[in-house]
Amino acid sequence: MTSERIYVGSYTSQPGGGEGVGFGPLAELGLVATTADPSFLVRSADGRFLYVTNETENGSVSAFAIQPDGGLQPLNTQPTGGDHPCHLDIDPSGRFLLSANYTSGSVAIHPISADGSLGEATQVLQREGTGPNQERQEGPHAHQIAFDPSGTYTLDVDLGSDSVYVNTLTEDGRLEEVDRLHIHPGAGPRHLVFHPSAGAAYVINELDSTLTVCSYADGKLQIVQTASTRPADSPGENFPAELLISADGRFLYGSNRGDNTVAVFAIAADGLSVELVQTIASGGDWPRHLAFSNDGTTLYAANERSSTIATFTRTPTTGTLTPEGDPVTWPKPVCILPV
């Protein structure tokens, strides 16, 4: 089992949940911060600070200073101006933290001070729109905020309106929309990743178990392929969650909640088409999050409902996964961040 140290965010409010953020080698995890529902974690580029979403009603984001032993010193917490923030990212300049409020369908922007603490929001941008799934798409549901490889454009993914918004981030911390991609109705886009070298991006869709392949250039996304995240005629309900791309741009990895699998896609040389080459059991129930080890040889799967974290060895030439040892127990893991 890998000896790499990781941070783990857990749902604390669920039955059987943890108390906050765990840290350590996978076999020796221990609690390092008590905070409410830290469902997504990011670290500053210099490795000094950790930021977490507190995915609660009247949500918030919290800042921590990372100690030499990996411990976390609380700095401060700021409201996101919305409900249940579930994703966040730091802009390439390191000046702003952006977060996606899922339930209320808005994006919040907070300035980052020199000491790592967060200032009051410079903007809470409310999205609008609905989709055909009346239960899940009755309104906007922001699920991810991310930057393109150049750092020029900011993209927010809205499950509720089947939309990916493309924006620029102003010097004073405000998003200005420059384009919008409409995914097919009822898809429920959740997360996207960019190809590291080709002009391509990939969106995993939660509501119909598909992967959307797009060409990408200068803030413009265009759909070129739609593929299933599961084998044909798979039974039962399924809700994809996380999406990763290998550093060499040859393989994609998506989690299937319901099937409880990790789907592996081979990417064409031009980045503009994919093929499903493997689905493998995720090592538990409801794999919400996936993460690569820092060297890219191991994949972690955080299985929320079974309270297990599984590890897989990744074969670089084929992209396929092989289970590595037994899953480790940790309460309601929903985000893994190797350090």
Side-chain angles (χ1 to χ4, degrees):
M1 182 173 293
T2 177
S3 61
E4 179 178 59
R5 299 188 302 170
I6 61 174
Y7 287 104
V8 181
S10 295
Y11 276 139
T12 63
S13 61
Q14 290 187 3
E19 296 181 60
V21 180
F23 176 73
L26 186 57
E28 303 171 19
L29 289 172
L31 185 70
V32 290
T34 300
T35 189
D37 286 340
S39 64
F40 206 83
L41 321 174
V42 295
R43 190 170 55 145
S44 61
D46 60 11
R48 297 173 57 202
F49 307 108
L50 185 78
Y51 300 95
V52 312
T53 55
N54 298 119
E55 192 176 334
T56 60
E57 193 172 2
N58 300 316
S60 59
V61 284
S62 296
F64 298 87
I66 299 175
Q67 304 304 294
D69 64 356
L72 298 176
Q73 177 186 344
L75 295 176
N76 74 329
T77 296
Q78 289 283 0
T80 59
D83 296 336
H84 304 106
C86 62
H87 194 272
L88 75 174
D89 203 1
I90 301 169
D91 91 277
S93 74
R95 297 176 57 226
F96 296 101
L97 181 76
L98 290 78
S99 54
N101 291 308
Y102 174 76
T103 300
S104 51
S106 58
V107 177
I109 305 174
H110 290 83
I112 300 174
S113 301
D115 66 357
S117 63
L118 298 170
E120 294 183 3
T122 54
Q123 184 185 31
V124 178
L125 176 59
Q126 181 63 56
R127 295 303 189 189
E128 304 293 339
T130 60
N133 186 319
Q134 295 183 6
E135 181 179 350
R136 296 291 309 279
Q137 296 183 306
E138 80 296 341
H141 292 303
H143 221 308
Q144 185 194 29
I145 188 81
F147 291 84
D148 79 342
S150 72
T152 304
Y153 297 99
T154 307
L155 296 92
D156 58 288
V157 180
D158 193 282
L159 180 149
S161 62
D162 295 315
S163 300
V164 179
Y165 295 90
V166 184
N167 323 273
T168 54
L169 178 63
T170 65
E171 284 295 313
D172 58 351
R174 300 184 66 84
L175 292 180
E176 295 183 349
E177 184 177 335
V178 297
D179 201 19
R180 178 180 177 185
L181 174 71
H182 295 272
I183 307 292
H184 59 273
R190 181 181 172 104
H191 280 186
L192 67 78
V193 295
F194 286 93
H195 194 283
S197 55
Y202 313 90
V203 183
I204 198 164
N205 300 309
E206 178 174 339
L207 300 184
D208 70 352
S209 298
T210 58
L211 179 78
T212 301
V213 180
C214 302
S215 63
Y216 179 75
D218 300 323
K220 298 286 186 181
L221 290 161
Q222 290 189 320
I223 296 172
V224 295
Q225 183 192 9
T226 301
S228 178
T229 67
R230 57 203 307 224
D233 302 322
S234 296
E237 290 189 317
N238 184 65
F239 304 95
E242 186 58 290
L243 185 65
L244 302 178
I245 188 167
S246 59
D248 60 9
R250 296 180 60 195
F251 303 100
L252 286 165
Y253 300 83
S255 65
N256 282 312
R257 298 175 301 177
D259 290 355
N260 294 332
T261 62
V262 179
V264 183
F265 295 88
I267 304 173
D270 64 0
L272 297 180
S273 64
V274 301
E275 179 186 1
L276 182 66
V277 295
Q278 183 189 27
T279 53
I280 185 171
S282 67
D285 185 7
W286 216 248
R288 180 180 171 94
H289 192 247
L290 306 174
F292 288 132
S293 60
N294 283 314
D295 64 7
T297 62
T298 297
L299 181 140
Y300 301 93
N303 294 286
E304 176 191 340
R305 292 184 178 175
S306 58
S307 292
T308 53
I309 300 172
T311 55
F312 300 84
T313 300
R314 194 178 75 87
T315 303
T317 53
T318 65
T320 55
L321 301 175
T322 304
E324 180 183 315
D326 295 325
V328 169
T329 298
W330 186 259
K332 304 297 180 185
V334 289
C335 185
I336 295 173
L337 180 65
V339 297

